[in-house]
Amino acid sequence: MTSSPATVDRFAVAAALREIGLLLEVKGGNPYRARAYARGAAAVEALAGDLASLVAEDRLTQVPGIGAALAAQIAELHRTGRSSTLERLRAELPPGILDLVQVPNLSVERVAALHRALGVRSVAELKAAAEAGRVRGVKGFGEKTEKKILDGIAALEARGQTLLLHEALAASEALRAWLAASPHVLRVDVAGEARRRTETVEQIQLVAAARDPEAVVEHFLGMPQVAAVVEREGGRGHVRLAEGLHARLEAVAPSEHVPTLVRLTGSSAHYEKLKARAEGESLVLSERALTPRGGRRAVALKDEAALYRRLGLQYVPPELREDEGEVEAAAAGTLPEDLLEESDVRGLVHCHTHYSDGKHSVEEMARGAEALGMEYITITDHSPSAHYAGGLDEDRLKRQWDDIARAQEKVQVRLLRGTESDILADGALDYPDRILEQLDVVIASIHSRHKMDEDEMTRRLVRAMRLPVFKIWGHALGRYVRTRPPIACRVEEILDAAAASRAAIEVNGEPRRLDMEPRWLRKARQRGLRFVISTDAHSVRALQNFRYGVAMARRGWVRRGEVLNTLGADAFRRAVRPVQ
Ligand SMILES: [Zn+2]
Ligand SMILES: [Zn+2]
């Protein structure tokens, strides 16, 4: 049997299973049953095989973590997009209950207890109850817990329901695939922040072309991930998903698709500039059409490039549509046309193995790189100072070289040996030069003393840059996208030092880091600096991170020729070799 249009992909199935688990937990039944759903969700997400054939051949129970009862639920979800269990639970429990689970410091057990004792059904109701001092009266809750809950709600309100880029891309792809399966949909695109590849995404925006837009909205509202319909009007739908994320769809007639996609992709400042350009060309760019001034018939547009062309502009890739000078550059014809693309990357840089804090062996990582079609991979585990991360002393480093040599005999992909060396507090690197010089690649990163003051930190980094063996500046500013601010330092001064010593800047693709950020990449470009796109992978799966690195590089206007790992293995090695 092949898949019918109703089939749901494994991520949507996993999301539904996870929601069932949470709702069961809140309801307070058998805790093992609830956990079985969470485990099942993880198993489905991690499936190596194809979900459709596992369902069709009745082989789901062969997957560890999936029993007969769960298999039946998964099959139902996959085949019909619905789950009777989930629908029953949603009917039994108030729709706001899952939002409560998102409050920091509030476990599911506590949500369940508060729901039973006070009848709270949403974050707003919990907030009111806590503010009125009613939470402290519930058995097992005191004044301190009540205060913690209020703090948690404040933190949640401040944060909103933003997703990291990789989560947003996975979620939007699942929604896109769901819509694409509708027989009404002629074309569907992800727009908004996810398409611009911003580091965090507040809501998912989709644009669909259809002859019957309302039927598409109907299909959208019927997705298994939908927890609540926020708004629906004509061709527009707005929903809240089970994880608290918001998603919007605008379905339009096929002839309106291109202008709508342009409007919903760019930042509003970018879009305003386009409208102004249209005026200058005696055109009117309205919500869904580009029309000659005073005319009635819209200009027929084959694709977005055609729209930009009509406005007298070069095509502006989505990642650049931020109003940071791209419209002016596109008008002048100076927008780079050879921005880095995923397919340009030929080697995976910055990969950890189980020698330090990675999950997989050298050989497993190498095979992972090979599976991604790469020509080479650099093995760069931590150096001795990073003892918390299992940093390698000289003996273990040399043992790893033997291991690399053995793995090399079994795989095609070239293995380059390297290290991610700590930049010590005084700006020195961690291994002696005689060791560093035997490596192909040295990435130098800060892992400790993040809180130095600006002067001290700038000195530390400038000193490091001046070392002849300093070739790649790893996760430069040490930020975590949502949780850790960048280190304090005078970035431009350090970039000057990097340019003088011809060190390259890493664009770290680890989705929690994405460092350095695009605005600094542009400053680095102005100085003629070179870049490496890295994975900072600690597992085979995370080798994919290079894609997020490419996205950041594009946001920073980085061109193919500026990226060292677009070179072949030998040329790359020559470009980064740590030599005196
Ligand atoms: Zn690191
Ligand atoms: Zn690392």
Side-chain angles (χ1 to χ4, degrees):
M1 191 193 92
T2 52
S3 33
S4 73
T7 57
V8 187
D9 79 350
R10 63 200 166 104
F11 295 106
V13 169
L17 293 178
R18 212 161 258 137
E19 189 184 349
I20 293 175
L22 278 175
L23 289 171
L24 282 172
E25 234 179 309
V26 174
K27 224 184 122 199
N30 175 354
Y32 295 104
R33 206 174 142 225
R35 257 167 259 156
Y37 277 96
R39 254 200 323 277
V44 169
E45 269 169 355
L47 278 182
D50 165 41
L51 179 60
S53 47
L54 284 174
V55 170
E57 293 157 24
D58 236 349
R59 287 191 294 115
L60 275 168
T61 49
Q62 292 172 9
V63 179
I66 299 180
L70 207 54
Q73 301 265 3
I74 294 170
E76 182 192 358
L77 270 163
H78 176 69
R79 287 200 178 112
T80 67
R82 306 203 167 276
S83 152
S84 40
T85 311
L86 180 55
E87 277 161 26
R88 183 168 44 73
L89 284 165
R90 278 184 184 161
E92 278 174 41
L93 290 161
I97 205 88
L98 281 178
D99 295 345
L100 285 167
V101 181
Q102 310 282 335
V103 176
N105 312 326
L106 198 57
S107 64
V108 184
E109 291 84 353
R110 295 208 140 151
V111 169
L114 290 167
H115 177 57
R116 278 195 303 273
L118 302 172
V120 291
R121 291 167 305 173
S122 64
V123 176
E125 288 185 11
L126 175 61
K127 191 176 173 189
E131 279 170 350
R134 289 194 290 127
V135 168
R136 68 184 74 168
V138 179
K139 188 163 173 276
F141 292 76
E143 221 171 303
K144 250 170 98 182
T145 319
E146 188 176 75
K147 164 94 179 36
K148 262 180 131 177
I149 289 174
L150 281 170
D151 291 345
I153 293 174
L156 183 68
E157 285 169 349
R159 189 181 76 199
Q161 285 298 338
T162 61
L163 292 186
L164 292 174
L165 177 61
H166 70 304
E167 301 166 328
L169 290 177
S172 40
E173 179 47 32
L175 303 191
R176 199 200 59 76
W178 170 266
L179 285 169
S182 160
H184 298 285
V185 171
L186 300 170
R187 183 182 160 173
V188 54
D189 289 279
V190 175
E193 293 177 313
R195 187 163 181 235
R196 298 206 306 278
R197 304 288 193 263
T198 54
E199 289 105 311
T200 58
V201 172
E202 237 168 80
Q203 63 174 5
I204 291 175
Q205 176 72 60
L206 295 140
V207 179
R211 269 181 217 99
D212 181 357
E214 288 193 38
V216 179
V217 174
E218 190 68 42
H219 184 74
F220 179 65
L221 303 183
M223 292 184 299
Q225 299 99 309
V226 173
V229 175
V230 180
E231 216 185 334
R232 162 186 201 166
E233 209 205 318
R236 289 195 170 103
H238 175 184
V239 297
R240 186 165 50 76
L241 306 178
E243 303 86 0
L245 178 73
H246 285 246
R248 287 170 184 269
L249 166 70
E250 193 158 328
V252 297
S255 64
E256 300 166 334
H257 187 77
V258 168
T260 307
L261 184 58
V262 167
R263 167 167 54 85
L264 293 174
T265 296
S267 71
S268 46
H270 172 88
Y271 186 64
E272 287 308 315
K273 286 254 167 91
L274 295 188
K275 278 166 72 173
R277 284 289 308 183
E279 261 176 56
E281 303 283 323
S282 299
L283 294 161
V284 178
L285 181 57
S286 61
E287 269 205 344
R288 294 182 179 178
L290 181 68
T291 324
R293 191 186 301 145
R296 276 213 212 120
R297 255 193 123 80
V299 179
L301 298 164
K302 176 165 107 311
D303 52 23
E304 289 183 310
L307 187 147
Y308 280 92
R309 209 177 307 124
R310 279 298 263 134
L311 302 183
L313 299 171
Q314 282 174 284
Y315 174 68
V316 181
E319 297 92 334
L320 271 51
R321 300 183 196 171
E322 298 286 357
D323 187 27
E324 286 171 354
E326 73 282 2
V327 177
E328 294 75 4
T334 55
L335 204 62
E337 284 187 334
D338 52 357
L339 285 189
L340 181 71
E341 289 178 25
E342 286 177 8
S343 57
D344 295 327
V345 175
R346 293 166 72 180
L348 295 182
V349 178
H350 193 159
C351 307
H352 296 274
T353 70
H354 62 202
Y355 273 86
S356 65
D357 56 351
K359 257 210 260 177
H360 295 111
S361 69
V362 169
E363 189 185 328
E364 286 168 326
M365 294 299 273
R367 291 198 188 278
E370 213 162 61
L372 288 169
M374 293 292 160
E375 293 171 32
Y376 53 99
I377 176 172
T378 78
I379 303 296
T380 54
D381 275 304
H382 289 284
S383 63
S385 296
H387 41 80
Y388 55 88
L392 278 61
D393 59 21
E394 283 184 35
D395 280 349
R396 286 186 54 235
L397 185 68
K398 286 182 177 159
R399 237 177 298 148
Q400 187 183 52
W401 294 351
D402 296 338
D403 208 6
I404 288 174
R406 272 193 301 276
Q408 186 64 84
E409 285 172 14
K410 300 190 211 160
V411 296
Q412 294 290 321
V413 66
R414 262 287 277 293
L415 287 153
L416 300 182
R417 58 192 201 193
T419 181
E420 178 181 15
S421 171
D422 269 32
I423 299 174
L424 304 178
D426 63 358
L429 298 193
D430 214 359
Y431 291 109
D433 284 356
R434 67 181 160 74
I435 292 288
L436 294 174
E437 285 165 9
Q438 295 182 63
L439 295 168
D440 298 310
V441 185
V442 176
I443 297 164
S445 319
I446 286 184
H447 290 112
S448 61
R449 307 278 313 273
H450 289 93
K451 294 208 170 114
M452 282 184 165
D453 69 36
E454 190 182 78
D455 278 333
E456 237 186 321
M457 189 62 95
T458 304
R459 268 201 303 278
R460 175 187 189 181
L461 282 162
V462 168
R463 211 174 296 143
M465 303 278 159
R466 292 201 179 125
L467 300 171
V469 287
F470 191 107
K471 293 294 171 187
I472 301 172
W473 187 15
H475 48 72
L477 299 181
R479 65 130 173 206
Y480 278 99
V481 171
R482 261 186 325 214
T483 51
R484 189 164 79 196
I487 53 173
C489 62
R490 291 186 294 277
V491 180
E492 302 215 31
E493 195 177 318
I494 301 165
L495 289 176
D496 286 338
S501 72
R502 311 189 51 194
I505 308 294
E506 178 185 84
V507 187
N508 190 295
E510 213 295 322
R512 283 162 302 181
R513 288 188 181 273
L514 302 179
D515 187 8
M516 34 182 34
E517 43 182 308
R519 65 191 171 111
W520 292 125
L521 296 178
R522 292 183 66 185
K523 297 277 186 199
R525 286 193 65 228
Q526 288 164 7
R527 291 166 170 80
L529 279 154
R530 292 290 180 258
F531 304 92
V532 296
I533 305 301
S534 89
T535 70
D536 208 347
H538 289 72
S539 67
V540 170
R541 192 191 172 116
L543 291 172
Q544 313 250 8
N545 288 350
F546 83 92
R547 302 207 162 103
Y548 312 121
V550 170
M552 287 309 110
R554 289 173 65 84
R555 285 179 63 73
W557 298 33
V558 172
R559 305 164 71 168
R560 179 186 308 136
E562 296 167 335
V563 176
L564 297 176
N565 51 328
T566 62
L567 299 169
D570 288 320
F572 172 76
R573 204 170 145 261
R574 275 195 301 276
V576 300
R577 233 169 90 78
V579 282
Q580 288 285 359

